[in-house]
Amino acid sequence: MLCTRLTNARFLTMDPDHPVAHDVGVWQGRIAGLDEAVTSLPAREVIDLQGATVLPGFIDAHVHLAWTGLKQTTPSIAGRTRIDDVLAVVAEAVSRTRAPGDWVSVAGYDQRALGRHLTAAELDKVSDGRNIFLLHDSGHGCVVNTAVLDLLPADIPHENGFLAEQAMGAARALRLPHSQEDLAEAIGRAARTCVAEGVTACAEAGIGGKLFGHSPVELGAYQLARDKGLLPLRVQLMVSGDRLSPVMAHETDDIPRALDLGLRTGFGDDRLSVGALKIYTDGGMMARTAALSSPYEGLDHTGQLQDDPETLTDLIVDGHLAGWQLAVHAIGDRAADLALDALDRAQRLRPRPEARHRVEHAGLIRPDQLPRFARLGVSAVIQPNFLRYFGDDYASIMGPERAPWMYRGRAFLDHGIPLVGSSDRPVADGSPLRAVQFMVERASASGQLIGPDEALTVDEALHAYTVAGAHACHWEGSLGSLTPGKRADLVVLGDDPRSVDPSRIGDIEVVETYVDGRPSRQPV
């Protein structure tokens, strides 16, 4: 007997052997069969989906759950365009603290809305002895007041209180980490948001690190969230590369650095597992720290790498030698050069064609870099909603020659490069459907076309958020398509993305999300 039969729907399976179905049978959390194989079987429950369109659950291959959940409860200056209005929000947050020396966090900081960066002196006016920390929306910088600057070593660089990349990490390190209880609650909040948008599995893009980590024992917070029933979707955890440390492994293992106990990609189960090793090579376009091979338009710099190129290369190579899948953050084309050179060197030292290394973001990829991606078998894990919401700004700072190279679509597929969809939530909107719409239209929210030759078909865009996401996370045996034997993770939509006008795809209602054959309204 089936546990559940889902019927009266148009199931777009993403499986070329059986692309469309009308019935799906579920048994013990897995797909037991399709159509005639299950239509006549008895089932404990039959659910009539009333003609809805159903897809495999979306996979967000690059997201920050803890950061998303924490941001949801942090005072925010998002949308403020006047310095005085920003300072008023900070002053209100200060008023809710207890004593001088307390830390005050404020989210939503983006200098583009204000026309310039805030300064430490301006924050001093409303700090009342507190330590003020405004995190840039990109996650690649912050603004602090003088009280925080006074706590930092004298050699930490800053621009009137704005700290970028590793300097920001030094400021974050001054604070006590979040507790596992607080992180578990934050993870749960973010996970519920993801599920409401049809996401059934995601890859957390870096835990325990200096830049984006929230605790040196952050993995335990995810375990706690699972134990408390706060994790309604599947999560794969990328470990920050700076957690690797030298080890005295056997000489034949040739593992120079590793996590304690030799932990690496693949540990865990179908609900919570360890994924790739996350390595940052540069910053971001929002903060103007992505490493480019030629200057930003209107600026006299080319961004920055996170460290000396040789140091970054050694980390990438050591991660590969230790058996990790690598997720190398590279937004600018200069950073992509470094990433590709290092991955090439690693594969020559120890060939691992099954490693499925990834370049996270691949934000600006020159035409000459595309064949190298293909030859190395590296996936491009992109965030289409970056251009949907920030595309006008990004196009202006890249200029007309480079703008069509941003967050490519068609060029990756034409070169045989696996194209994987993701959000980088909370940096950008997390909706897979709105991302799919951009991939098809290549239009920013204002209507500006950005790299229209990079446009995809709807099927290709959906593939990036289902089949390709599963493959990038080594989940292809259980997720990504509605195929008998795989997990019964699916999303019920109010309309068919393939039949509506592309301009309406992002507005399609997510009616319900199923994980292991259970709707999200039921407890995990």
Side-chain angles (χ1 to χ4, degrees):
M1 175 180 286
L2 298 172
C3 297
T4 307
R5 187 171 75 250
L6 304 172
T7 189
N8 188 19
R10 181 174 175 80
F11 294 92
L12 307 181
T13 68
M14 306 305 294
D15 182 345
D17 292 335
H18 195 144
V20 181
H22 53 76
D23 275 21
V24 167
V26 178
W27 184 73
Q28 293 189 354
R30 292 186 179 270
I31 297 172
L34 307 175
D35 294 342
E36 285 69 25
V38 297
T39 299
S40 61
L41 295 179
R44 295 192 186 99
E45 182 180 25
V46 177
I47 299 177
D48 185 341
L49 294 175
Q50 301 180 343
T53 297
V54 182
L55 281 160
F58 296 127
I59 296 171
D60 189 336
H62 184 119
V63 66
H64 300 274
L65 290 179
W67 178 14
T68 298
L70 292 169
K71 186 176 181 179
Q72 290 173 347
T73 58
T74 299
S76 177
I77 57 172
R80 268 67 170 191
T81 58
R82 297 175 63 250
I83 300 294
D84 287 347
D85 292 342
V86 168
L87 295 179
V89 174
V90 176
E92 171 62 22
V94 167
S95 72
R96 294 198 292 271
T97 60
R98 292 179 294 181
D102 284 351
W103 283 84
V104 176
S105 294
V106 177
Y109 177 66
D110 186 342
Q111 85 285 355
R112 298 173 303 173
L114 300 172
R116 64 170 176 84
H117 279 299
L118 281 170
T119 67
E122 287 169 329
L123 291 176
D124 290 344
K125 297 175 183 177
V126 294
S127 61
D128 194 24
R130 274 60 168 180
N131 299 318
I132 310 296
F133 184 98
L134 275 63
L135 180 63
H136 196 278
D137 264 348
S138 68
H140 288 274
C142 65
V143 176
V144 299
N145 64 342
T146 302
V148 176
L149 293 177
D150 289 344
L151 297 173
L152 290 168
D155 61 347
I156 296 295
H158 71 90
E159 181 183 341
N160 297 320
F162 177 72
L163 301 103
E165 308 302 341
Q166 298 299 331
M168 175 200 68
R172 291 183 62 148
L174 295 171
R175 310 179 60 173
L176 285 174
H178 292 276
S179 72
Q180 288 193 352
E181 285 282 352
D182 287 347
L183 288 175
E185 293 294 332
I187 291 162
R189 284 192 296 272
R192 291 190 293 274
T193 301
C194 291
V195 168
E197 293 180 337
V199 176
T200 58
C202 67
E204 164 64 58
I207 62 169
K210 296 176 182 176
L211 284 180
F212 288 85
H214 299 92
S215 166
V217 290
E218 196 168 353
L219 190 151
Y222 282 84
Q223 291 177 299
L224 180 61
R226 174 179 172 161
D227 293 345
K228 296 179 69 172
L230 301 175
L231 211 57
L233 77 172
R234 306 181 198 283
V235 179
Q236 189 179 85
L237 303 171
M238 300 185 202
V239 177
S240 181
D242 56 27
R243 303 305 299 176
L244 292 190
S245 57
V247 293
M248 294 295 292
H250 192 278
E251 60 182 14
T252 59
D253 291 335
D254 192 22
I255 298 176
R257 281 187 277 183
L259 287 188
D260 291 345
L261 303 179
L263 191 70
R264 60 177 174 82
T265 303
F267 182 81
D269 57 28
D270 66 284
R271 277 295 182 136
L272 183 63
S273 60
V274 173
L277 186 73
K278 177 72 176 296
I279 298 174
Y280 294 92
T281 64
D282 70 343
M285 287 187 188
M286 291 172 65
R288 311 320 195 214
T289 54
L292 310 179
S293 56
S294 56
Y296 289 88
E297 289 285 310
L299 301 176
D300 60 357
H301 69 86
T302 58
Q304 65 187 81
L305 295 172
Q306 291 287 354
D307 210 327
D308 175 82
E310 185 174 345
T311 299
L312 293 171
T313 297
D314 287 346
L315 180 57
I316 290 169
V317 170
D318 287 354
H320 173 88
L321 293 176
W324 286 91
Q325 177 190 24
L326 301 178
V328 185
H329 168 116
I331 292 184
D333 61 327
R334 177 159 57 104
D337 279 334
L338 185 152
L340 294 170
D341 288 345
L343 292 170
D344 190 12
R345 176 180 164 191
Q347 290 284 18
R348 282 187 282 107
L349 286 173
R350 179 178 294 171
R352 286 178 54 217
E354 79 290 348
R356 299 186 196 174
H357 294 322
R358 312 157 37 145
V359 170
E360 307 300 299
H361 308 297
L364 184 72
I365 301 300
R366 303 186 310 269
D368 64 285
Q369 293 174 315
L370 293 166
R372 297 197 67 198
F373 268 81
R375 181 172 61 81
L376 290 168
V378 175
S379 297
V381 183
I382 66 167
Q383 298 76 40
N385 277 333
F386 278 11
L387 293 189
R388 178 180 171 92
Y389 293 98
F390 315 136
D392 294 355
D393 173 62
Y394 285 11
S396 70
I397 60 172
M398 290 299 107
E401 179 184 7
R402 292 181 293 182
W405 304 344
M406 293 190 298
Y407 297 94
R408 291 176 177 270
R410 173 60 52 206
F412 284 132
L413 293 186
D414 285 352
H415 282 79
I417 299 163
L419 178 65
V420 183
S422 68
S423 70
D424 204 16
R425 186 195 304 263
V427 178
D429 174 42
S431 165
L433 287 171
R434 286 190 281 274
V436 165
Q437 178 177 324
F438 175 83
M439 295 169 87
V440 174
E441 294 185 314
R442 296 292 298 192
S444 71
S446 73
Q448 178 180 349
L449 293 180
I450 303 171
D453 291 343
E454 296 292 334
L456 305 180
T457 67
V458 174
D459 280 339
E460 289 168 335
L462 292 173
H463 186 277
Y465 276 89
T466 53
V467 178
H471 187 265
C473 296
H474 292 265
W475 279 331
E476 73 276 9
S478 59
L479 303 177
S481 65
L482 302 181
T483 301
K486 292 191 177 183
R487 295 284 176 181
D489 293 3
L490 46 89
V491 55
V492 181
L493 302 178
D495 216 329
D496 185 344
R498 303 189 305 181
S499 64
V500 303
D501 187 275
S503 64
R504 291 183 50 213
I505 293 174
D507 296 324
I508 293 175
E509 178 188 5
V510 175
V511 177
E512 184 57 276
T513 305
Y514 286 75
V515 177
D516 281 335
R518 291 192 295 267
S520 60
R521 62 179 176 270
Q522 292 183 4
V524 177

Short mmCIF file of all heavy atoms in Angstrom, two decimals, residues 140 165-166 211 280-283 304-308 312 329:
data_model
loop_
_atom_site.label_atom_id
_atom_site.label_comp_id
_atom_site.label_asym_id
_atom_site.label_seq_id
_atom_site.Cartn_x
_atom_site.Cartn_y
_atom_site.Cartn_z
N HIS A 140 30.58 41.68 2.66
CA HIS A 140 32.01 41.84 2.40
C HIS A 140 32.58 43.13 3.00
O HIS A 140 33.67 43.56 2.62
CB HIS A 140 32.29 41.79 0.90
CG HIS A 140 32.15 40.42 0.33
ND1 HIS A 140 33.18 39.51 0.34
CD2 HIS A 140 31.08 39.79 -0.23
CE1 HIS A 140 32.76 38.38 -0.21
NE2 HIS A 140 31.50 38.52 -0.57
N GLU A 165 36.44 43.11 3.79
CA GLU A 165 37.00 41.76 3.73
C GLU A 165 37.69 41.34 5.03
O GLU A 165 37.06 41.32 6.07
CB GLU A 165 37.93 41.64 2.51
CG GLU A 165 37.27 42.09 1.20
CD GLU A 165 36.00 41.35 0.85
OE1 GLU A 165 35.76 40.25 1.36
OE2 GLU A 165 35.22 41.87 0.03
N GLN A 166 38.98 41.05 4.99
CA GLN A 166 39.67 40.54 6.18
C GLN A 166 39.67 41.56 7.32
O GLN A 166 39.64 41.17 8.50
CB GLN A 166 41.10 40.14 5.83
CG GLN A 166 41.21 39.02 4.80
CD GLN A 166 40.57 37.72 5.28
OE1 GLN A 166 40.51 37.44 6.48
NE2 GLN A 166 40.07 36.93 4.34
N LEU A 211 35.01 35.20 7.87
CA LEU A 211 34.22 36.19 7.15
C LEU A 211 32.72 36.02 7.41
O LEU A 211 32.04 36.98 7.77
CB LEU A 211 34.49 36.09 5.65
CG LEU A 211 35.80 36.68 5.15
CD1 LEU A 211 35.91 36.51 3.64
CD2 LEU A 211 35.91 38.15 5.51
N TYR A 280 37.32 31.55 -0.10
CA TYR A 280 37.10 32.89 -0.64
C TYR A 280 38.37 33.40 -1.33
O TYR A 280 39.44 33.41 -0.72
CB TYR A 280 36.71 33.87 0.47
CG TYR A 280 35.39 33.58 1.11
CD1 TYR A 280 35.30 32.77 2.24
CD2 TYR A 280 34.21 34.11 0.59
CE1 TYR A 280 34.08 32.50 2.83
CE2 TYR A 280 32.99 33.84 1.17
CZ TYR A 280 32.93 33.03 2.29
OH TYR A 280 31.72 32.77 2.88
N THR A 281 38.23 33.84 -2.58
CA THR A 281 39.39 34.43 -3.26
C THR A 281 39.26 35.94 -3.41
O THR A 281 40.28 36.63 -3.52
CB THR A 281 39.59 33.81 -4.65
OG1 THR A 281 38.48 34.13 -5.49
CG2 THR A 281 39.77 32.31 -4.56
N ASP A 282 38.04 36.47 -3.45
CA ASP A 282 37.88 37.92 -3.58
C ASP A 282 36.64 38.38 -2.85
O ASP A 282 36.06 37.63 -2.06
CB ASP A 282 37.86 38.35 -5.05
CG ASP A 282 36.60 37.93 -5.81
OD1 ASP A 282 35.88 37.03 -5.33
OD2 ASP A 282 36.35 38.48 -6.90
N GLY A 283 36.22 39.61 -3.08
CA GLY A 283 35.07 40.18 -2.40
C GLY A 283 33.83 40.16 -3.26
O GLY A 283 33.51 39.15 -3.87
N GLN A 304 39.97 43.54 -4.80
CA GLN A 304 41.05 42.93 -4.03
C GLN A 304 40.85 41.43 -3.86
O GLN A 304 39.72 40.94 -3.81
CB GLN A 304 41.15 43.58 -2.66
CG GLN A 304 39.94 43.37 -1.76
CD GLN A 304 40.02 44.18 -0.48
OE1 GLN A 304 39.70 45.37 -0.46
NE2 GLN A 304 40.43 43.53 0.60
N LEU A 305 41.97 40.73 -3.80
CA LEU A 305 41.95 39.32 -3.42
C LEU A 305 41.94 39.22 -1.90
O LEU A 305 42.35 40.16 -1.19
CB LEU A 305 43.18 38.61 -3.97
CG LEU A 305 43.27 38.53 -5.50
CD1 LEU A 305 44.63 37.98 -5.92
CD2 LEU A 305 42.15 37.66 -6.06
N GLN A 306 41.47 38.10 -1.39
CA GLN A 306 41.36 37.93 0.06
C GLN A 306 42.73 37.74 0.72
O GLN A 306 42.87 37.95 1.92
CB GLN A 306 40.47 36.73 0.39
CG GLN A 306 39.01 36.92 0.05
CD GLN A 306 38.31 37.86 1.01
OE1 GLN A 306 38.87 38.31 1.99
NE2 GLN A 306 37.06 38.18 0.70
N ASP A 307 43.71 37.32 -0.05
CA ASP A 307 45.04 37.06 0.52
C ASP A 307 46.04 37.05 -0.62
O ASP A 307 45.68 37.24 -1.79
CB ASP A 307 45.04 35.72 1.28
CG ASP A 307 46.03 35.68 2.44
OD1 ASP A 307 47.08 36.34 2.32
OD2 ASP A 307 45.75 35.00 3.44
N ASP A 308 47.28 36.82 -0.28
CA ASP A 308 48.31 36.66 -1.28
C ASP A 308 47.93 35.52 -2.23
O ASP A 308 47.45 34.48 -1.79
CB ASP A 308 49.64 36.35 -0.58
CG ASP A 308 50.75 36.06 -1.55
OD1 ASP A 308 51.34 37.01 -2.07
OD2 ASP A 308 51.01 34.86 -1.80
N LEU A 312 46.39 31.66 -1.29
CA LEU A 312 45.08 31.17 -1.71
C LEU A 312 45.22 29.91 -2.56
O LEU A 312 44.45 28.95 -2.40
CB LEU A 312 44.35 32.26 -2.49
CG LEU A 312 43.93 33.50 -1.69
CD1 LEU A 312 43.41 34.59 -2.63
CD2 LEU A 312 42.89 33.15 -0.65
N HIS A 329 34.83 30.70 -4.02
CA HIS A 329 34.18 31.99 -4.24
C HIS A 329 35.08 32.83 -5.15
O HIS A 329 36.21 33.17 -4.79
CB HIS A 329 33.98 32.68 -2.88
CG HIS A 329 33.59 34.12 -2.97
ND1 HIS A 329 32.37 34.60 -2.53
CD2 HIS A 329 34.26 35.23 -3.42
CE1 HIS A 329 32.32 35.90 -2.71
NE2 HIS A 329 33.45 36.31 -3.25
#
